Amino acid sequence: MKTRFVLLALCLIFALASYTPVSVAEEAADSEKQSAAAEEAIPAVPENGTLEDYQNCIAALKEGLQKKAQSMIAQAQKDGINPQSEKFANSLKEMAKEYFNRIEQAADKAMLLKDVSDDDFKQLASYKFQSIRTLAELNEEDESVVSAKIEAFAQQLRKMGKDDVAEQVEGILFQEKVRGYVHENNVEAFTKAAAEIDEKVEKAGKDISRNLAQQAGLILIAGAAMSDYKAPEGRQEKYLKALAEASDPEVQKIAGEMEKQMMRAEGEKRFEDSLGKEFKFGGTFTDGSEYKAEDYAGKVVLIDFWATWCGPCRAELPNVKKMYDAYHEKGFEVIGVTCDDPEEEEDLNKFLKDNDIPWKQMFDGKAVVPGLKTKSGDPILVSEYYGINGIPCPVLIGKDGKVISLNARGAELKKQLVKIYGEVEGIGTVDEEEEGEEVDVFADEDSEEEDVDDLDEDDQAADEAIPDVPAEGTLADYKEYIKKVNGLLEKKLRKVMRQAKKDGVNPQSKEFEESLKSTAKEYFTRIEDATDKAMLLKDVSDEDFDELIGAKIQLIQIITQLNNGEPDAANAKLEAFAAQLRKMDKSKAADKIEKMLFGNKVMGYIREGNVEEFAKAAAEIDEKVKKAGKDITPDLAGVAVLIVMGANELKDYKAPEDRQDNYLKALTESTDPEVNKLADVLKMFISQSEEKE
């Protein structure tokens, strides 16, 4: 269950972390009103409501969940609790269960109403299905239990005469089982499932459904991924023929998509084996001219698959340009194959001009393999033929037209050019360095989605390039920018998850988890940049500045986790942020962050069982609580509560006998109502601890 929990926690972070920046982007935000709203009772599900009643109820539950999650994260930070800890994640999960249970109830009741349109019913079924899956994650249920629930839901749909929706649900369940077989390398179970699809495809003939077509595609892709499985000869041809000749035009489209996916899967091996071989390349440049092999004969050519919105790609550009300037006269050429949207060619050209990029560019959709076409007559893209599914992907071609490097970045590019042309004065040294992250891009092509909510109107927005942060914007500009990027990230993650299901990728695998992190990093980095710029503006109100600080704190923690950094790395960044705030004469905000840092360190001592350091920290808090008296602040009170709880966790630590009484007295007699609430929390904890004893 550990992998599932990690992925769930990651998704919760993605979903919840955006709320603070979105809050920053809302006009005239009132933090006290938001906090009060988060404490409202969970909306009740109407007993005998209309469709609109249930739709409004589900919307209110979703909004309430967001506000409650935001409130919990903010309170945790205020109390010095690490919002990335497993203990906090568990409390977040318990809260979320209540909301998803009610969303499921509302969907169930709404689906039983008469005269519900097909579109509305599909949306309700989507809510139901998503609730089953989410609650299964939150309850850490066994896959067999989840499968039984989904099967029961499909049977319920058939009894209601909704066979088309039931078929979609059953299709998703089948696909999840198949992915499980692949993950476990269960060849026997996979063989039975594949034989079942073989029979269904043959029986269906031209009447093959979209759902069955997608299952057939999954069998082909998943089978290719299993090293110990040998598919029957001719299966791929039979499937492709059946889909291409289907009476449903949409199934015919799936046939073309399936052929491309199989080619991409085969292409990955072809790419790895291309060293020392000719690299098949052709197409049309953005200026309308055609690529001609003879123009590049006898030259060293870097074919760089990239995009303007890809952070690692942009980071590599100065190095490529330096090498181009140094070796171009000797015969070094660069061809850019961009994954940017062709409809935004004007933006691409502006980027190239602003960054003084002289070499020719070609959109990925125009880079084709000369002389090859699909069975349907479509050109075969270079990225498909070689299975290129991540950028940057720099392929270096030697003077003889054969590949000499598949990762010519940074020091590797210079090393290869020096080997061929020799040293050139003025280029300096390129140190060996980490190659950075790849950005998954090619797996997100538009196609039929297999999920119940397959007609997601936000798919186009998910593929939008991340806009640049305004160079000199107003506070309103940065708020609007943060809101937009948050929205794009949310849509992108949803689409990536759906695409993973379609491609037979195990969403619980370490590889997919890392690709998900890589996708999110660029968005959060842009949001952090916008937040930093907004904080430097003049005449920002105290309320707006506090919200920006809250956003910055969360972004530091999130980006550190996305980079697989340890808590100490986040703490170091928070310390630097606190120092920056002091330079900006924001001492109160700096004090708050330093209190939170202290709490983080205390939590670290508790996790590590470091009694000596915990004792020192606790003694420091004893002194501060005593000195503060009735003027104790909520921040200090939160750390005091943490000290009591931590002392209870450390078996080898013996706390002073009067500590709990002293802390309770200080918190109870405080003039701050927020501190009084923490006194109640402390009383409850002490009472529970005594009962256990």
Side-chain angles (χ1 to χ4, degrees):
M1 285 295 176
K2 186 176 180 183
T3 302
R4 176 193 281 180
F5 178 82
V6 170
L7 184 60
L8 171 64
L10 175 64
C11 292
L12 278 173
I13 288 169
F14 285 157
L16 301 177
S18 63
Y19 297 142
T20 295
V22 168
S23 165
V24 174
E26 292 172 350
E27 296 295 329
D30 188 329
S31 58
E32 292 185 3
K33 289 182 180 179
Q34 288 178 354
S35 178
E39 300 303 324
E40 290 178 0
I42 303 176
V45 179
E47 285 297 327
N48 297 297
T50 63
L51 174 62
E52 185 178 1
D53 291 335
Y54 290 118
Q55 288 173 328
N56 289 339
C57 176
I58 291 171
L61 285 164
K62 291 170 70 178
E63 182 180 2
L65 172 61
Q66 293 179 3
K67 289 182 177 178
K68 182 66 176 177
Q70 180 186 6
S71 175
M72 288 178 66
I73 291 173
Q75 188 64 47
Q77 291 176 334
K78 182 177 181 181
D79 295 344
I81 297 173
N82 184 356
Q84 297 180 35
S85 68
E86 186 167 334
K87 185 175 181 180
F88 178 76
N90 285 334
S91 67
L92 207 60
K93 287 164 64 178
E94 290 302 316
M95 176 276 296
K97 284 181 199 177
E98 298 182 48
Y99 283 88
F100 279 108
N101 274 319
R102 297 204 185 185
I103 289 173
E104 184 176 12
Q105 292 170 22
D108 281 336
K109 291 187 176 184
M111 283 191 293
L112 294 175
L113 296 174
K114 295 180 180 180
D115 302 324
V116 177
S117 71
D118 289 343
D119 286 344
D120 284 332
F121 192 91
K122 284 184 178 181
Q123 184 62 64
L124 292 167
S126 173
Y127 289 137
K128 167 76 173 181
F129 181 84
Q130 290 168 0
S131 296
I132 292 174
R133 293 301 295 164
T134 304
L135 286 167
E137 290 278 357
L138 294 172
N139 290 313
E140 298 191 18
E141 294 175 349
D142 186 80
E143 284 299 328
S144 61
V145 176
V146 184
S147 295
K149 289 182 178 180
I150 295 174
E151 286 171 354
F153 178 42
Q155 291 172 10
Q156 175 192 348
L157 289 168
R158 291 198 182 279
K159 289 178 181 178
M160 299 169 70
K162 299 292 183 179
D163 290 351
D164 58 335
V165 183
E167 186 180 357
Q168 285 185 306
V169 171
E170 289 166 346
I172 297 169
L173 182 59
F174 177 85
Q175 290 159 16
E176 290 180 345
K177 286 181 178 179
V178 168
R179 285 194 294 272
Y181 302 151
V182 175
H183 182 63
E184 299 160 5
N185 200 32
N186 189 336
V187 175
E188 183 179 356
F190 179 83
T191 301
K192 291 179 181 179
E196 180 183 335
I197 298 302
D198 288 343
E199 185 177 345
K200 287 184 177 181
V201 169
E202 186 172 350
K203 185 178 179 180
K206 293 184 178 181
D207 295 326
I208 186 170
S209 67
R210 301 177 194 180
N211 190 59
L212 179 55
Q214 289 161 351
Q215 292 177 33
L218 177 62
I219 290 297
L220 291 181
I221 295 169
M226 298 183 73
S227 56
D228 298 332
Y229 175 75
K230 185 170 177 58
E233 289 187 13
R235 171 183 284 162
Q236 181 174 330
E237 290 74 14
K238 287 179 183 178
Y239 281 11
L240 287 173
K241 184 175 185 295
L243 270 63
E245 295 177 354
S247 53
D248 186 342
E250 292 302 319
V251 174
Q252 295 174 15
K253 290 181 182 178
I254 295 174
E257 189 63 32
M258 185 190 299
E259 186 179 1
K260 290 178 181 178
Q261 288 177 3
M262 289 304 299
M263 185 179 298
R264 182 166 290 140
E266 296 166 356
E268 290 179 4
K269 187 174 186 309
R270 186 181 292 118
F271 183 76
E272 293 298 326
D273 292 342
S274 65
L275 276 172
K277 298 178 182 177
E278 178 188 354
F279 194 78
K280 300 182 184 299
F281 184 84
T284 307
F285 292 108
T286 55
D287 62 7
S289 63
E290 293 293 322
Y291 169 86
K292 294 179 181 179
E294 56 267 28
D295 292 342
Y296 296 89
K299 297 182 178 181
V300 176
V301 183
L302 178 70
I303 301 178
D304 187 17
F305 293 83
W306 75 296
T308 60
W309 45 262
C310 165
C313 302
R314 293 199 312 274
E316 176 64 11
L317 276 177
N319 179 56
V320 177
K321 190 169 185 305
K322 182 187 287 186
M323 296 302 107
Y324 181 86
D325 292 343
Y327 290 103
H328 179 58
E329 290 186 2
K330 292 179 177 289
F332 176 51
E333 295 284 355
V334 180
I335 297 174
V337 180
T338 175
C339 301
D340 287 285
D341 187 343
E343 294 183 2
E344 298 180 357
E345 186 172 351
E346 186 176 336
D347 292 338
L348 170 66
N349 290 334
K350 182 178 185 302
F351 178 90
L352 297 172
K353 182 179 179 181
D354 291 346
N355 290 275
D356 194 24
I357 307 300
W359 51 85
K360 286 189 172 186
Q361 300 292 327
M362 185 182 293
F363 285 111
D364 169 60
K366 295 291 186 179
V368 300
V369 178
L372 290 184
K373 292 186 181 296
T374 64
K375 291 180 181 179
S376 56
D378 295 327
I380 295 177
L381 302 185
V382 175
S383 58
E384 293 169 351
Y385 185 74
Y386 286 106
I388 297 171
N389 55 20
I391 56 174
C393 179
V395 179
L396 193 62
I397 316 295
K399 293 179 180 180
D400 59 358
K402 296 178 180 179
V403 177
I404 57 177
S405 175
L406 296 173
N407 191 27
R409 301 168 62 189
E412 171 67 11
L413 176 59
K414 180 185 175 183
K415 184 176 82 172
Q416 293 293 344
L417 293 175
V418 168
K419 187 187 298 184
I420 297 167
Y421 295 117
E423 289 278 2
V424 173
E425 186 178 351
I427 63 171
T429 59
V430 182
D431 297 329
E432 294 292 341
E433 57 190 28
E434 294 183 6
E435 296 295 353
E437 305 294 331
E438 278 194 355
V439 181
D440 189 7
V441 289
F442 294 109
D444 282 340
E445 294 174 351
D446 293 335
S447 59
E448 180 77 9
E449 300 290 345
E450 76 271 21
D451 212 338
V452 178
D453 58 347
D454 58 339
L455 298 178
D456 188 348
E457 62 183 9
D458 292 332
D459 270 3
Q460 288 186 343
D463 292 329
E464 283 186 25
I466 309 174
D468 291 333
V469 180
E472 297 181 355
T474 64
L475 180 61
D477 292 335
Y478 291 119
K479 286 181 176 181
E480 185 58 35
Y481 176 86
I482 291 169
K483 184 175 182 179
K484 178 177 176 62
V485 175
N486 261 310
L488 291 175
L489 170 59
E490 185 179 348
K491 295 177 178 72
K492 184 69 173 181
L493 291 175
R494 284 204 301 265
K495 183 168 183 181
V496 168
M497 293 294 288
R498 289 199 301 274
Q499 188 69 36
K501 290 182 179 180
K502 177 180 176 183
D503 293 345
V505 175
N506 181 6
Q508 297 180 17
S509 67
K510 182 67 175 176
E511 293 76 10
F512 181 74
E513 182 183 322
E514 289 302 318
S515 71
L516 207 61
K517 289 181 179 180
S518 179
T519 300
K521 265 189 274 190
E522 179 69 12
Y523 290 83
F524 280 120
T525 301
R526 298 282 185 96
I527 291 170
E528 184 179 33
D529 188 14
T531 303
D532 287 339
K533 289 184 176 179
M535 282 192 293
L536 294 175
L537 295 173
K538 296 180 179 179
D539 302 324
V540 176
S541 70
D542 290 342
E543 183 179 356
D544 281 329
F545 199 87
D546 286 344
E547 288 187 8
L548 290 168
I549 289 173
K552 175 69 174 180
I553 291 170
Q554 287 193 11
L555 288 163
I556 287 173
Q557 294 170 330
I558 292 163
I559 293 172
T560 301
Q561 184 166 358
L562 291 176
N563 285 316
N564 297 318
E566 296 297 323
D568 286 346
N571 290 342
K573 292 179 180 178
L574 287 169
E575 286 175 355
F577 181 43
Q580 176 190 345
L581 289 171
R582 289 201 183 281
K583 291 179 181 179
M584 298 170 70
D585 293 328
K586 298 290 182 179
S587 297
K588 288 185 178 179
D591 288 343
K592 187 172 183 178
I593 291 174
E594 287 167 355
K595 289 282 195 320
M596 184 183 72
L597 279 168
F598 186 89
N600 289 347
K601 289 180 180 179
V602 170
M603 286 190 66
Y605 302 150
I606 297 169
R607 282 195 303 270
E608 299 159 5
N610 191 334
V611 175
E612 183 179 355
E613 290 300 325
F614 179 85
K616 292 178 183 177
E620 184 179 335
I621 297 304
D622 289 344
E623 185 67 26
K624 288 184 176 181
V625 170
K626 181 179 179 181
K627 185 177 180 180
K630 293 181 180 181
D631 296 326
I632 185 171
T633 64
D635 297 326
L636 178 56
V639 178
V641 173
L642 178 61
I643 290 295
V644 175
M645 292 180 174
N648 195 59
E649 294 286 329
L650 292 169
K651 295 179 181 179
D652 298 332
Y653 174 74
K654 184 170 178 59
E657 291 183 3
D658 59 349
R659 173 179 288 155
Q660 290 186 1
D661 292 338
N662 291 339
Y663 282 12
L664 264 179
K665 185 174 185 296
L667 271 62
T668 303
E669 295 179 353
S670 170
T671 54
D672 190 328
E674 292 298 318
V675 175
N676 300 150
K677 290 180 183 178
L678 288 170
D680 294 335
V681 172
L682 184 56
K683 287 177 187 175
M684 185 182 301
F685 175 78
I686 293 172
S687 175
Q688 290 173 345
S689 299
E690 290 173 348
E691 287 176 7
K692 288 180 182 178
E693 293 175 0

